[in-house]
């Protein structure tokens, strides 16, 4: 009787070399109850389980528990069909709640993206019109304003240059020389008897006073600038 039991065909185990993902194959295998072999020690079994990579490392524990619960409700024929039939596997995959949620979010994002693209295309004529207006403003009003700005900057530079310390000292020096020349010319008129003594004294005194005042101012300003 024991010989007949050994000759009975065993149910075909799912092939691990199937196209089905290795993570799900491992999950299916782990979900089935296994009977330890008498020749296998507990320590060796624990070592093999520890060396096996995590089959559901890409999903959360709650999602993994839900998928395993769905697979446990299926019989051997249904599990074998999932391993051999690609369409059945795809239908099962699409029926999972995490996949449904992911597909729903993907569809929502795609629809929102298409809506934004449509709105952007509808705004394109308005954008082109605004670009044309900006181009017109840049070539007319902006050009005039820039020209006026450059003229004001030039006048500003000239004004600052005229009122710089070195420029003021130069102008004060020229005024001193001009006053000195006038006093010398007045003295020549006196020698040529072109002016009387009383008028000469009055004008000459005024010119020399102005000259020395400007000379003292020039000296003080020059000392202040160089100091």
């Amino acid at each position: 009787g024991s010989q007949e039991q050994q000759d009975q065909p065993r149910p075909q185990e799912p092939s691990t070399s199937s196209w089905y993902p290795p993570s799900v194959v491992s999950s299916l295998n782990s979900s089935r109850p296994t009977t330890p072999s008498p020749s296998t020690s507990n320590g060796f079994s624990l070592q093999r389980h520890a060396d096996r990579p995590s089959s559901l490392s890409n999903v959360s524990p709650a999602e993994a528990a839900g998928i395993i619960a769905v697979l446990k409700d299926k019989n051997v024929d249904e599990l074998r069909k999932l391993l051999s039939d690609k369409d059945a596997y795809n239908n099962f995959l699409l029926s999972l709640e995490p996949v449904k949620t992911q597909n729903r979010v993907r569809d929502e994002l795609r629809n929102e993206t298409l809506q934004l693209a449509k709105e952007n295309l509808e705004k394109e004529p308005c954008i082109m019109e605004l670009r044309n207006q900006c181009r017109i403003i840049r070539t007319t009003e902006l050009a005039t304003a820039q020209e006026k700005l450059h003229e004001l900057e030039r006048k500003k530079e000239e004004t600052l240059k005229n009122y710089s310390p070195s420029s003021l000292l130069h102008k004060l020096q020229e005024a001193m020389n001009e006053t000195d020349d006038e006093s010398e010319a007045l003295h020549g008129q006196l020698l040529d008897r072109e002016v009387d003594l009383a008028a000469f004294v009055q004008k000459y005194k005024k010119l020399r006073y102005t000259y020395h005042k400007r000379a003292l101012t020039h000296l003080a300003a020059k000392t202040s600038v160089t100091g």
Side-chain angles (χ1 to χ4, degrees):
S2 61
Q3 183 66 27
E4 293 178 355
Q5 293 179 357
Q6 293 178 357
D7 295 339
Q8 291 179 355
R10 296 182 179 180
Q12 184 179 358
E13 295 294 332
S15 175
T16 57
S17 62
S18 172
W19 61 270
Y20 203 84
S23 59
V24 181
V25 174
S26 301
S27 176
L28 293 175
N29 294 332
S30 62
S31 64
R32 296 182 181 180
T34 57
T35 303
S37 174
S39 61
T40 305
S41 63
N42 292 333
F44 182 70
S45 299
L46 293 176
Q47 181 65 28
R48 289 184 60 187
H49 181 74
D51 295 339
R52 182 183 302 170
S54 177
S55 60
L56 299 175
S57 59
N58 295 330
V59 296
S60 64
E63 294 176 348
I67 296 173
I68 294 175
V70 175
L71 292 174
K72 283 183 178 180
D73 295 337
K74 296 184 178 298
N75 55 34
V76 176
D77 294 334
E78 291 174 340
L79 294 175
R80 186 180 293 110
K81 185 176 182 180
L82 289 177
L83 292 175
S84 59
D85 191 345
K86 199 168 186 177
D87 294 334
Y89 165 73
N90 290 332
N91 294 332
F92 170 75
L93 182 64
L94 295 176
S95 66
L96 296 177
E97 193 61 31
V99 178
K100 290 181 179 179
T101 303
Q102 182 178 6
N103 291 338
R104 183 172 60 254
V105 172
R106 179 200 62 192
D107 294 339
E108 291 176 356
L109 292 175
R110 180 176 59 187
N111 294 333
E112 291 178 1
T113 303
L114 292 176
Q115 182 64 26
L116 290 175
K118 182 179 179 181
E119 294 177 357
N120 290 336
L121 290 176
E122 292 176 353
K123 295 177 181 178
E124 186 174 0
C126 181
I127 295 174
M128 295 299 297
E129 180 64 22
L130 292 175
R131 286 180 178 176
N132 293 332
Q133 293 180 5
C134 292
R135 188 180 298 107
I136 294 173
I137 293 174
R138 184 169 59 249
T139 55
T140 56
E141 299 178 6
L142 181 60
T144 305
Q146 286 181 343
E147 184 179 356
K148 186 177 181 179
L149 177 62
H150 294 160
E151 180 65 20
L152 292 175
E153 289 180 348
R154 185 182 61 80
K155 292 182 179 180
K156 175 186 174 182
E157 293 296 332
E158 291 180 356
T159 302
L160 293 177
K161 185 177 180 180
N162 292 331
Y163 287 94
S164 63
S166 59
S167 178
L168 292 175
L169 287 174
H170 180 70
K171 290 182 178 180
L172 189 57
Q173 182 67 45
E174 290 181 348
M176 289 170 51
N177 297 335
E178 183 179 355
T179 305
D180 192 32
D181 293 339
E182 290 180 1
S183 62
E184 290 294 331
L186 182 61
H187 184 263
Q189 292 177 2
L190 177 64
L191 296 178
D192 295 337
R193 300 182 182 273
E194 295 178 0
V195 62
D196 58 353
L197 183 60
F200 166 79
V201 172
Q202 184 179 0
K203 292 181 180 181
Y204 190 81
K205 180 180 179 181
K206 185 177 181 180
L207 289 173
R208 299 313 296 176
Y209 173 81
T210 303
Y211 171 81
H212 289 294
K213 182 179 180 181
R214 291 175 177 175
L216 291 174
T217 304
H218 181 274
L219 179 61
K222 186 175 181 180
T223 305
S224 177
V225 171
T226 55

